[in-house]
Amino acid sequence: DVKVTQSSRYLVKRTGEKVFLECVQDMDHENMFWYRQDPGLGLRLIYFSYDVKMKEKGDIPEGYSVSREKKERFSLILESASTNQTSMYLCASTTAGTGEKLFFGSGTQLSVL
Amino acid sequence: AQSVTQPDIHITVSEGASLELRCNYSYGATPYLFWYVQSPGQGLQLLLKYFSGDTLVQGIKGFEAEFKRSQSSFNLRKPSVHWSDAAEYFCAVEVDSSYKLIFGSGTRLLVRP
């Protein structure tokens, strides 16, 4: 069965800490995405990647960076965590091609204190 | 700018009753449209998608959706709701064949026994 795995289900960090959220997919997908989900706002795209070492900004990239050194792994980095980054973070992947469905991980609930 | 509106934040229906979840989009060309469902503690799962052709689309779990260009709508329907359908539902549109999805804010479905 296809799988997108996010390393942590819950994470608690302190303001100013550097935070790494990891995502691994086993489907050999080219495209990978990071979304954040907030009540009443739905999902908002932070960053995405079409290929190894390639990245594109989404709609809300401020305060975040990403890394994709291997095809199967896409990391989201909060350089200096702030309380307004408390959120649910969802990773997704899809194969190349318009209109292909996204496969989502189960999410990481990040709390920044 | 492209956008997706789900006007209902919460909907409550009785088990066995019919269901319609509303979705309106703003997009210049013919959109690629999707409905995803998120069960508690889970990532999102694709219910159905529309690209072209027949405007009535069948999906998994007995769901269907109808694309109406004149109303810029893509409403999700189910003739008889089951308790296991309680979840959050997201409508989404793909932007410019870019693999990027814009999501609505979601509708939470509650099912009364």
Side-chain angles (χ1 to χ4, degrees), chain B residues 50-82:
Chain B
Y50 170 79
F51 294 159
S52 64
D54 193 345
T55 56
L56 187 62
V57 180
Q58 301 298 320
I60 62 171
K61 304 186 180 188
F63 285 92
E64 66 178 27
E66 186 171 12
F67 170 62
K68 293 186 177 180
R69 184 190 304 276
S70 61
Q71 299 177 19
S72 297
S73 70
F74 188 55
N75 294 349
L76 182 71
R77 301 194 294 246
K78 187 170 184 179
S80 178
V81 169
H82 188 263

Side-chain angles (χ1 to χ4, degrees), chain A residues 91-106:
Chain A
C91 175
S93 71
T94 185
T95 189
T98 300
E100 295 296 329
K101 75 174 185 179
L102 293 177
F103 291 85
F104 282 86
S106 297

Side-chain angles (χ1 to χ4, degrees), chain A residues 28-54:
Chain A
D28 200 36
H29 283 168
E30 290 80 5
N31 305 320
M32 296 188 73
F33 305 80
W34 275 106
Y35 286 90
R36 67 177 278 176
Q37 181 180 9
D38 300 288
L41 297 177
L43 280 72
R44 292 178 292 166
L45 183 63
I46 306 171
Y47 266 97
F48 59 104
S49 169
Y50 291 141
D51 203 348
V52 175
K53 297 193 184 296
M54 296 185 69

